[in-house]
Amino acid sequence: MIGIVDYGMGNLFSVSKALERLNADYFISGDKDELLSADAILLPGVGSFRDAMEVLQVDTIKEFAASGKPLLGICLGMQLLFEDSDENGFTKGLGLLPGHVRRFSGTIEAGETYKVPHMGWNKLEFVNSSPLLEGLEEDYVYFVHSYYVDAENSEVLLAKANYHEEVSAVVGKDNIFGMQFHPEKSSKLGMALLSNFLRLVDERKAVR
Amino acid sequence: MTLTKRIIPCLDVKEGRVVKGIQFVQLRDAGDPVELARFYDQQGADELVFLDISASVEGRKTMVEVVKSVASELAIPFTVGGGINSLEDMKRILRAGADKVSLNTAAVLNPELISEGAGYFGTQCIVVAIDAKFDEEIGTWRVYTHGGRTATDRKVIDWAKEAAGLGAGEILLTSMDSDGEKNGFDLKLTKAVSEAVSIPVIASGGAGNASHFEDAFVNGKADAALAASIFHYKETSVHEVKSYLLERGVTVR
């Protein structure tokens, strides 16, 4: 059973529908005991980092992460896994992965500007092998974000995209995973990535 | 380094059904928005736009159900426009699973609606649709509302800038001069707006063949291009347009 963390930020509809299409059992909850009982949790999120950290069940997420069960953050949910963000002033994150969240500058050297948010389809480049990427080919996924993760430790970087900066697109270490883009809106590759995550959840559950 | 150029089919929905003769013989039900959405998704559409042209309150309610069904089955982003006049309307459509809402007349009449929506849902959710027609008298394009029936005092470039400043995440720019002519997108208009704002611009109106899309992206500097009838009447397909663009060195997925 997958627990989708409800903390009042963002649209939980499309991600839950994506799980339904993959025949995964899930529940949506903000309750500590319920979330801790899940085989894996999914942390979605749209909005600002600071607002999210103020309302997020931080202790619950940290306790779950420490249990060793898989956790997947999506979009803002992935950014929250890192140490801190510059969004609306310096804000501390969950600190489950090493790295910082920074804003796209919007300008390149010669003073030329580029568009922020990074919105649209961009190609993933696989960097490190991971069960999340198993059997998949590099393809386009759908991004919408104005801040990006600068992953300090390249080991956690599983796939990246290039948008004037190196964008950490898929990250993962042990049981903590994140996707900056919206897998539920990223057509075939997006669904395949979610499917791989669900398989990983099942495999680890079997071992546990 | 660059994002792909997006190809966006547009579907007109009335009382929950897709209208405007659509030639899809292989579909069981050519008027079902969900089935058509799936068809375009399979062809490689990057996004879809649903325009609700229902005249009745009942029809608008039906649209929410359509949005729910589409969102349940589709793994690409989609935008819903038509008849969205308030923050409540936006909530209803976005909570039903749409990724973006498109505001047109309501935004012109009440520009604050853009900032309210952007503040509540984020700029990426708010598309401002502009219907533009060249006006000899003022020597530039004029903004029209109410489905192109009402001329306003606004100039398109100024309105696009204002909308972007208020928090619009994208401009859906329809040329009334080119619409339905199939002679290509209005490149001057598209380029002028694209260069005036720092948010993505979707060119609309006038697509007749694959090369028109290349023109819109290369010469019109559009980030995305929208078309309805040439896809519906199978004069070309999303896949065909993308193959052509790839050959010509335009980045598409």
Side-chain angles (χ1 to χ4, degrees), chain B residues 102-130:
Chain B
S102 168
L103 308 173
N104 191 331
T105 304
V108 174
L109 298 178
N110 176 19
E112 273 181 23
L113 199 56
I114 301 172
S115 40
E116 279 175 30
Y120 201 87
F121 303 105
T123 59
Q124 79 285 345
C125 282
I126 311 297
V127 179
V128 171
I130 304 178

Side-chain angles (χ1 to χ4, degrees), chain B residues 16-34:
Chain B
R17 306 282 297 166
V18 174
V19 292
K20 267 191 186 173
I22 292 189
Q23 297 179 339
F24 289 122
V25 283
Q26 71 272 49
L27 296 180
R28 275 174 293 141
D29 177 0
D32 178 13
V34 178

Side-chain angles (χ1 to χ4, degrees), chain B residues 49-163:
Chain B
V49 169
F50 291 87
L51 205 55
D52 185 10
I53 56 168
S54 302
S56 66
V57 176
E58 279 307 306
R60 299 251 182 265
K61 279 185 192 153
T62 311
M63 193 61 198
V64 174
E65 295 309 311
V66 170
V67 171
K68 274 187 190 161
S69 331
V70 171
S72 304
E73 300 221 16
L74 204 64
I76 56 172
F78 71 102
T79 302
V80 175
I84 297 170
N85 295 313
S86 65
L87 198 62
E88 283 310 311
D89 290 341
M90 291 186 229
K91 279 184 193 167
R92 213 170 295 134
I93 293 292
L94 291 169
R95 284 189 182 149
D99 299 285
K100 308 174 190 178
V101 287
S102 168
L103 308 173
N104 191 331
T105 304
V108 174
L109 298 178
N110 176 19
E112 273 181 23
L113 199 56
I114 301 172
S115 40
E116 279 175 30
Y120 201 87
F121 303 105
T123 59
Q124 79 285 345
C125 282
I126 311 297
V127 179
V128 171
I130 304 178
D131 292 335
K133 193 174 180 356
F134 193 79
D135 193 317
E136 298 285 351
E137 235 168 73
I138 55 172
T140 185
W141 297 271
R142 188 187 288 280
V143 176
Y144 281 69
T145 57
H146 300 89
R149 293 189 302 275
T150 311
T152 71
D153 292 335
R154 291 179 183 273
K155 294 175 182 170
V156 169
I157 308 289
D158 295 343
W159 174 230
K161 282 188 194 166
E162 189 182 336

Side-chain angles (χ1 to χ4, degrees), chain A residues 81-100:
Chain A
L81 304 175
F82 287 83
E83 290 165 73
D84 49 61
S85 169
D86 296 337
E87 190 167 358
N88 300 337
F90 181 87
T91 309
K92 270 197 164 321
L94 291 163
L96 299 170
L97 294 173
H100 308 278

Side-chain angles (χ1 to χ4, degrees), chain A residues 54-131:
Chain A
E54 274 174 15
V55 293
L56 185 65
Q57 302 85 334
V58 171
D59 294 339
T60 305
I61 308 293
K62 283 188 174 169
E63 197 175 326
F64 190 90
S67 75
K69 291 191 282 189
L71 189 170
L72 174 65
I74 293 177
C75 199
L76 175 66
M78 163 180 137
Q79 297 183 357
L80 297 173
L81 304 175
F82 287 83
E83 290 165 73
D84 49 61
S85 169
D86 296 337
E87 190 167 358
N88 300 337
F90 181 87
T91 309
K92 270 197 164 321
L94 291 163
L96 299 170
L97 294 173
H100 308 278
V101 183
R102 306 185 198 286
R103 193 169 208 280
F104 286 109
S105 68
T107 52
I108 45 180
E109 275 168 32
E112 251 184 89
T113 60
Y114 62 87
K115 294 178 181 184
V116 178
H118 172 216
M119 178 166 75
W121 296 83
N122 204 339
K123 194 164 189 177
L124 287 187
E125 285 174 55
F126 295 169
V127 180
N128 284 309
S129 63
S130 157

Side-chain angles (χ1 to χ4, degrees), chain B residues 12 15 18 27 38 41 44 46 58 63 74-76 124 177 203 240 243:
Chain B
D12 285 348
E15 323 294 330
V18 174
L27 296 180
R38 215 184 289 135
D41 180 15
D46 296 302
E58 279 307 306
M63 193 61 198
L74 204 64
I76 56 172
Q124 79 285 345
D177 300 305
E240 230 170 68
S243 305

Side-chain angles (χ1 to χ4, degrees), chain B residues 216-253:
Chain B
F217 297 140
V218 177
N219 301 320
K221 302 201 167 177
D223 300 276
L226 176 143
S229 57
I230 60 159
F231 293 140
H232 299 336
Y233 290 105
K234 295 177 89 179
E235 287 163 33
T236 184
S237 68
V238 176
H239 183 74
E240 230 170 68
V241 169
K242 286 193 162 183
S243 305
Y244 176 85
L245 291 170
L246 268 180
E247 272 171 34
R248 311 284 295 178
V250 177
T251 313
V252 289
R253 87 182 164 94

